[in-house]
Amino acid sequence: MEQSQPAVRGQGLLEWYEALISAALVLVLVFSFFFRIIQVDGESMVPTLENGDKLVVWGAGYEPQRGDVVIVDSYTSYGRPLVKRVIAKGGDTISIDYATGTVEVNGKVLEEDYIAEPTYLGYDVEFPYTVPEGTVFVMGDNRNASMDSRSSYVGCIDEQDILGKVLLCFLPFSDFGVVK
């Protein structure tokens, strides 16, 4: 008759610690390479996003597309990541008519139901403007309170400096939802 091995004290607890450490490591890797958590700083994306909103950002293999809300790396003089909307990509020609508040990309007026008000504020970039290859032209949804690619201070953003696309606003709960 075989005798069973006596249980080693603490073996079950050790297995739990190993499982927790493994799960934490997987979460760190997922959030390092695939997702990021970013906080909105400022009012430039109102009404789409509010100051202080917490966002989930997808970065792995992301290529910017017109209309996407993206996070720009903190290389800017602001020292924090910028949250902006991609308006045009490399090779596109953009025109802004500040009298009517309309934005055109490649001769087509954008339908922008996401903006706070028409685009009346301009900076020092002259239009029409052709976006250099490998860059994107970004603007905030609160056009008249946004420092963006209309200013040479920000300018066009190199695609490599885009951390990813904003997928979801998760805090505060009152703003919870997919970002479009």
Side-chain angles (χ1 to χ4, degrees):
M1 196 187 288
E2 279 185 39
Q3 290 187 346
S4 61
Q5 295 287 331
V8 176
R9 177 172 277 229
Q11 184 174 357
L13 189 58
L14 182 61
E15 289 173 359
W16 272 104
Y17 284 142
E18 287 175 356
L20 286 173
I21 290 170
S22 297
L25 183 59
V26 167
L27 282 174
V28 166
L29 291 173
V30 165
F31 278 94
S32 295
F33 295 107
F34 298 102
F35 296 102
R36 293 176 188 251
I37 304 296
I38 302 285
Q39 179 173 310
V40 175
D41 181 31
E43 305 293 330
S44 72
M45 286 300 291
V46 171
T48 306
L49 299 168
E50 301 284 337
N51 185 45
D53 283 353
K54 302 260 193 286
L55 311 172
V56 174
V57 179
W58 174 262
Y62 172 71
E63 289 186 31
Q65 302 299 315
R66 285 180 213 93
D68 287 352
V69 176
V70 297
I71 303 296
V72 178
D73 201 348
S74 61
Y75 75 92
T76 63
S77 59
Y78 297 117
R80 297 186 194 117
L82 295 177
V83 182
K84 301 293 178 190
R85 187 177 298 273
V86 175
I87 301 300
K89 296 173 58 173
D92 289 341
T93 299
I94 185 167
S95 294
I96 300 177
D97 183 338
Y98 293 113
T100 62
T102 57
V103 177
E104 287 184 14
V105 175
N106 300 327
K108 183 178 179 188
V109 174
L110 298 181
E111 291 186 33
E112 300 183 291
D113 56 349
Y114 45 78
I115 61 175
E117 58 188 357
T119 308
Y120 298 126
L121 176 66
Y123 293 101
D124 60 342
V125 172
E126 294 186 21
F127 297 97
Y129 177 81
T130 301
V131 180
E133 291 296 332
T135 68
V136 293
F137 190 96
V138 296
M139 294 173 74
D141 290 356
N142 190 1
R143 297 288 166 77
N144 300 313
S146 175
M147 176 69 74
D148 49 41
S149 293
R150 294 172 288 169
S151 167
S152 60
Y153 182 69
V154 174
C156 287
I157 304 297
D158 191 306
E159 289 184 7
Q160 295 178 351
D161 291 328
I162 294 180
L163 297 177
K165 176 183 179 180
V166 175
L167 297 178
L168 180 75
C169 177
F170 69 94
L171 285 176
F173 291 119
S174 60
D175 292 342
F176 185 87
V178 175
V179 175
K180 295 181 182 188

